[in-house]
Amino acid sequence: MSTNATTIPAVRPEDEKIPVAKAFLYGFQHILSMYGGVIAIPLIVGSAAKLPPEQVGMLVASALFVSGLATLVQSLGLPGLGSKLPLVNGTTFGAVSTMLAIIGSGGGLPVIYGSVIVAGIVGFLLAPLFSRIQRYFPPVVTGTIIAAMGLSLLPVAAGWVAGNQPGGASLTNLALAAFTLVVVLVCTRVPALSRVGILVGITAGTLLAAVLGQVDFSGVGKGAVVALPTPFFFGAPQFEIGAIISMVVVIIVTLMEIMADLFAVAKVVGTDVDRRRITRGLRADMAATIIAPVFNSFPPTAFAQNVGLIAVTKVKSRYTVAAGAVLLILLGLFPLLGRVVACVPSPVLGGAGVVLFGSVAAAGIQTLQQADFERGNNIFVVATSLALVVFPMAVPGIYTALPTWLEMVLGSGISAAAISAVLLNLLLNGRHANRGALGDEMEAVPAPEPFED
């Protein structure tokens, strides 16, 4: 019997009960840290599809609504679904290039939705297979993947600071980002504010931006106050084989990224995950992927930036994320609330993102400390994998000469690093590669009684 089974506490850290008011306060921080990523996808796809503003707004509301549902299932769980970990879900960036390619080839949103439904079903069926490969994720692999997640997110923060405009950031944007960052860091030194430092920093940064005239509240009162999702608003899904194959590749990559997020959040929380828990987590996201097109949204996935928030605030309870899920659903049902949150300037989010995303990379470095670097092979695993993260960030079009599916896989820093780390660990470390992140005996030892769902 593994020693882990006798040392695990009766109450897992993620099961800590939080007062309702505090749960929603902490949950609001989670929403702020991922809100921009959720709404970015429908804005990009809606613009590419040349939809009118009111329909783009519907896509945004739908993305928030589906993200809330997926987060609720992932954090609280349903029979056979949900890891019961503090994971926040949002629309995945990994599917953007494929969806834009479908639109560019003459397909519309119904074709995208049809491919997402089929790919989600395939992913749901593959979930148990992915859960069985945890033995191939020792610290050198998991640490590399988690560090890759943080590194790949940092350019998002940089883009926010620059206002997502070419030509670099203005002095005002740099000042707002720096001010927000300083406030967050100061809050970490104040016990009463350490757990809400991100929220305080974003609030303070937004207030300063308002004083400087950098916040536009004119759009808050425009549009509907309440907007219930209309199933298949853009028409019944259409199924085209080319689009389906491309989306299946996306989902396979997404499954790997979800596994990386599961390992990352488990590491930060200080809990264990077994094969069944991984399967439940993967299936929760795949079930949400199948349902997303019904409500006019796109594939959701676990958001890595919220792992950084947990590391910063030390609030590990999954009930805070569940409270955030309720807020996401409300944002989806009440576009007015979404328009208020959307007023937060991107440089302010960028300043907070430095800490959030950097903390994810730091968690990966911490995990790598458990790896045995006396054997030079581990250095090569880390070095090569992290290089693959940086390549597409440094030269965005570096893989355009490759087939589209391969370009998509390598163009995602997280997926490229994950594939590289796993394969290089197997090739270079051989029989030592089976020392999984969940313990050598995890394969044979069932989950301890307190972990039974």
Side-chain angles (χ1 to χ4, degrees), residues 354-390:
V354 171
V355 175
L356 292 174
F357 305 158
S359 295
V360 178
I365 294 172
Q366 185 179 23
T367 302
L368 285 172
Q369 292 177 348
Q370 303 172 24
D372 180 12
F373 282 100
E374 293 299 322
R375 295 204 311 268
N377 290 343
N378 280 343
I379 293 178
F380 297 131
V381 172
V382 176
T384 304
S385 302
L386 293 185
L388 292 178
V389 178
V390 177

Side-chain angles (χ1 to χ4, degrees), residues 10 123 240 309 314:
E240 295 185 2
L309 182 59
K314 309 300 182 186

Side-chain angles (χ1 to χ4, degrees), residues 137-186:
F137 287 79
V140 67
V141 173
T142 55
T144 299
I145 294 173
I146 296 170
M149 290 163 55
L151 290 175
S152 65
L153 287 169
L154 285 172
V156 176
W160 284 343
V161 173
N164 295 310
Q165 298 294 328
S170 66
L171 287 176
T172 301
N173 283 12
L174 290 173
L176 286 173
F179 175 77
T180 303
L181 175 60
V182 169
V183 172
V184 172
L185 294 177
V186 169

